[in-house]
Amino acid sequence: MARSATTVLVTTVLVTATALAVMVGVGQASAADESRDPRSELTELQAELEAVTAERDALLEEDRARDERYQRSSETQEALIEIIADPAAFGSMDEVLDLLDELAVPGSTMDDVALGAAGWRAAWQGTLFGARATIPTWVKWMAVDGSIGGSLWTWTGRARNGEPLTLPGIDVSTYDENGLITSVVVYWPYENSEVACVFYKGNEACATE
């Protein structure tokens, strides 16, 4: 909408400036306008045109930066989704964790509302390898400016006691200007105590409690 309005204004100024230029060139000012200085008005319109053009260019630059950030953040999100869906396909534990480190800024955290917060690498080590898990993603989304995104997934692996666990959840992630993750918050559609129970004992044991 802002870009369209700016285009209309630029066009209007251009038309008016052109008309004045013709008047100055051919000397056809009317008697009623003899007291006005067409050259002065043309100068003012040219200054206005320059200001509007600068505003247009600034808006275009904002759009370009936003689109580039969106692209970088989306690529980061997609890379993470691919890794956690099948960690074994990307090598050893350290190799997988190294790849995940490349997707986040140093000092990034994962805050699980049920299980607590941890540093980026330690959180993924426990989530993927402590639980011997895979995490297929079913839905993902990203803000138009690439600053925040999220996904819906299923955490499938082994509880601390070795029993099977399956938990659906969602994450909300933030991204910096370079499209790298700065934080992740994990939410569950269950009470925190139920999530903790499944994490330690597995789904079957918790279903009977």
Side-chain angles (χ1 to χ4, degrees):
M1 182 66 72
R3 190 182 304 173
S4 299
T6 302
T7 302
V8 171
L9 181 54
V10 169
T11 303
T12 303
V13 172
L14 281 171
V15 171
T16 305
T18 302
L20 279 172
V22 172
M23 291 172 60
V24 172
V26 300
Q28 294 182 344
S30 65
D33 292 332
E34 287 180 356
S35 61
R36 299 168 58 191
D37 184 355
R39 291 181 178 82
S40 176
E41 288 196 30
L42 179 58
T43 299
E44 292 176 2
L45 284 169
Q46 288 174 333
E48 184 178 351
L49 175 60
E50 290 175 0
V52 171
T53 300
E55 180 182 355
R56 178 206 62 191
D57 292 344
L59 289 172
L60 290 174
E61 177 60 24
E62 289 179 7
D63 287 348
R64 183 196 62 78
R66 180 196 64 194
D67 293 344
E68 289 183 355
R69 183 180 183 182
Y70 174 87
Q71 182 63 33
R72 289 191 292 265
S73 298
S74 297
E75 290 173 355
T76 296
Q77 182 186 51
E78 185 59 35
L80 186 144
I81 287 172
E82 290 181 5
I83 293 170
I84 65 177
D86 186 11
F90 292 85
S92 67
M93 179 182 74
D94 284 337
E95 288 172 332
V96 171
L97 295 177
D98 288 345
L99 289 173
L100 291 172
D101 280 345
E102 295 176 2
L103 304 179
V105 300
S108 295
T109 59
M110 183 186 297
D111 185 4
D112 188 310
V113 298
L115 302 176
W120 179 257
R121 189 180 183 96
W124 281 117
Q125 182 174 342
T127 299
L128 293 176
F129 297 98
R132 292 171 283 171
T134 59
I135 307 176
T137 297
W138 309 114
V139 180
K140 64 179 179 179
W141 59 92
M142 179 66 66
V144 294
D145 65 354
S147 64
I148 188 169
S151 59
L152 167 66
W153 34 260
T154 301
W155 186 28
T156 303
R158 293 287 174 175
R160 287 294 179 87
N161 64 358
E163 293 298 315
L165 75 81
T166 299
L167 283 170
I170 64 171
D171 71 85
V172 177
S173 304
T174 57
Y175 299 80
D176 70 1
E177 296 290 339
N178 296 315
L180 296 178
I181 296 169
T182 58
S183 67
V184 176
V185 181
V186 177
Y187 300 91
W188 308 96
Y190 308 104
E191 296 292 335
N192 290 351
S193 58
E194 186 174 354
V195 174
C197 180
V198 173
F199 177 70
Y200 285 102
K201 299 180 182 180
N203 294 81
E204 185 174 351
C206 295
T208 60
E209 291 188 359

